[in-house]
Amino acid sequence: MAKLSPFACAFLEAEKAYAADEVPVGAVIVDSVTGEIIAATHNKMECRKDPTAHAELLAIQQACDKLQSIRLEKCDIYVTLEPCPLCAQAISFARLRRLYFGAYDPKGGGVDHGAKIFNASSCHWSPEIFGGVEEEKCAQLLKKFFINKREL
Amino acid sequence: MAKLSPFACAFLEAEKAYAADEVPVGAVIVDSVTGEIIAATHNKMECRKDPTAHAELLAIQQACDKLQSIRLEKCDIYVTLEPCPLCAQAISFARLRRLYFGAYDPKGGGVDHGAKIFNASSCHWSPEIFGGVEEEKCAQLLKKFFINKREL
């Protein structure tokens, strides 16, 4: 039977965040050699009362803990939204091989927008970057979340 | 009896990091109204095998957990080194009131250098910033650490 793609798993994580009333962003880290999913999680800022509990950061922490390594050079990260500067810098520190992200985020993104972390002179590692993966689907889920928030 | 200043506590934390063979950076978060120390910690990247376990990030997580709040508007952070982009963004998300930092970090800093997080168009909160606090002392400890590393 066909397996879910890593990006589909990240989207499922985003839906879990939505159901838990968290900003719906999901992230998955995959061993690029074996294809194994090393970490899969979503935003947990509200439930943990932690402004740093972003999907990507939690996924990196999970993966490093699982592999008992501070570096993830053989791994790729899939995330449903353009990472913010905090998460982009964490991706750089963890030396992830590739970054695939869904919706672009002109307001809060830190890859193609704002601080553009990977372009900064002090950024010593940049992954290969693929943006706009299933962009419409990822953006729609975020839009639905914020429309519901405004109607409360 | 006179109490240690928050910055002196942050330096003590940096010395703990040095003793534990971690890059010697310490951070302290203080309630600006009561003067109480809410969090005090240091870099733990190596011992936790977590590239995101920077002093400031851990201090923010500790403080938010203690106050059960995702925002730290009444708190100030004291750190012995200019925060990197990851930590600067975390300080912005946590809405810390003031940032006091020690040594400037032209290579890895994200406040006055590199991504200059607080100057980015997508940065929605900036603390009041005081740089170069006990700069020489903080820089010396870092220098000693890296010289020893090179001699190994």
Side-chain angles (χ1 to χ4, degrees):
Chain A
M1 210 175 91
K3 290 192 291 183
L4 277 181
S5 74
F7 204 85
C9 292
F11 190 77
L12 277 182
E13 288 293 332
E15 287 181 318
K16 284 188 206 169
Y18 184 91
D21 209 25
E22 299 274 357
V23 176
V25 178
V28 160
I29 292 176
V30 174
D31 181 319
S32 69
V33 180
T34 65
E36 187 196 352
I37 289 182
I38 308 292
T41 188
H42 53 269
N43 274 353
K44 295 186 178 175
M45 284 97 79
E46 297 301 330
C47 78
R48 291 203 183 172
K49 300 279 180 231
D50 176 358
T52 73
H54 289 200
E56 303 94 310
L57 206 77
L58 299 178
I60 289 169
Q61 289 164 350
Q62 267 186 24
C64 289
D65 186 53
K66 192 161 176 181
L67 301 178
Q68 280 297 294
S69 168
I70 205 162
R71 306 271 179 254
L72 302 169
E73 286 111 331
K74 288 182 183 166
C75 296
D76 301 332
I77 187 164
Y78 298 77
V79 51
T80 58
L81 180 65
E82 178 186 345
C84 76
L86 181 154
C87 293
Q89 187 62 57
I91 287 166
S92 175
F93 285 148
R95 300 195 185 172
L96 281 151
R97 192 187 69 139
R98 285 187 184 155
L99 158 64
Y100 297 85
F101 70 82
Y104 287 89
D105 185 3
K107 280 189 187 167
V111 178
D112 278 26
H113 300 95
K116 295 184 182 176
I117 289 295
F118 301 118
N119 298 345
S121 56
S122 58
C123 181
H124 306 301
W125 175 275
S126 175
E128 196 177 0
I129 305 167
F130 302 84
V133 187
E134 300 199 31
E135 186 178 1
E136 189 56 26
K137 193 174 155 185
C138 297
Q140 277 305 325
L141 185 65
L142 282 152
K143 239 176 242 173
K144 192 168 78 168
F145 177 81
F146 287 111
I147 285 170
N148 288 346
K149 282 281 164 205
R150 277 197 292 273
E151 282 172 359
L152 285 179
Chain B
M1 210 176 90
K3 290 192 294 184
L4 277 181
S5 74
F7 204 85
C9 291
F11 191 78
L12 277 182
E13 288 293 332
E15 286 182 318
K16 284 188 206 170
Y18 184 91
D21 209 25
E22 298 274 357
V23 177
V25 179
V28 159
I29 292 177
V30 173
D31 180 320
S32 68
V33 180
T34 65
E36 187 195 352
I37 288 182
I38 307 291
T41 189
H42 53 268
N43 274 351
K44 296 186 178 174
M45 285 97 81
E46 297 301 331
C47 79
R48 292 201 181 173
K49 300 278 180 230
D50 176 358
T52 74
H54 290 201
E56 304 93 307
L57 206 77
L58 299 178
I60 289 169
Q61 289 165 349
Q62 267 186 23
C64 289
D65 187 51
K66 192 160 176 183
L67 302 178
Q68 280 297 292
S69 168
I70 204 161
R71 306 271 179 256
L72 303 169
E73 286 109 331
K74 288 182 184 167
C75 296
D76 301 332
I77 187 162
Y78 298 77
V79 51
T80 58
L81 180 66
E82 177 185 346
C84 77
L86 182 154
C87 293
Q89 187 63 55
I91 287 167
S92 175
F93 285 149
R95 299 196 186 171
L96 281 151
R97 192 186 70 138
R98 285 186 185 157
L99 159 64
Y100 297 85
F101 69 83
Y104 287 88
D105 185 2
K107 280 190 188 167
V111 177
D112 279 26
H113 300 95
K116 295 186 181 173
I117 289 295
F118 301 118
N119 299 345
S121 56
S122 57
C123 180
H124 307 302
W125 176 276
S126 175
E128 196 177 358
I129 304 166
F130 303 85
V133 187
E134 301 198 29
E135 187 179 359
E136 190 54 29
K137 192 173 155 184
C138 297
Q140 277 305 327
L141 185 66
L142 282 152
K143 239 176 246 172
K144 192 168 78 168
F145 178 82
F146 287 112
I147 286 171
N148 289 346
K149 282 283 163 203
R150 276 197 293 272
E151 282 172 358
L152 284 179

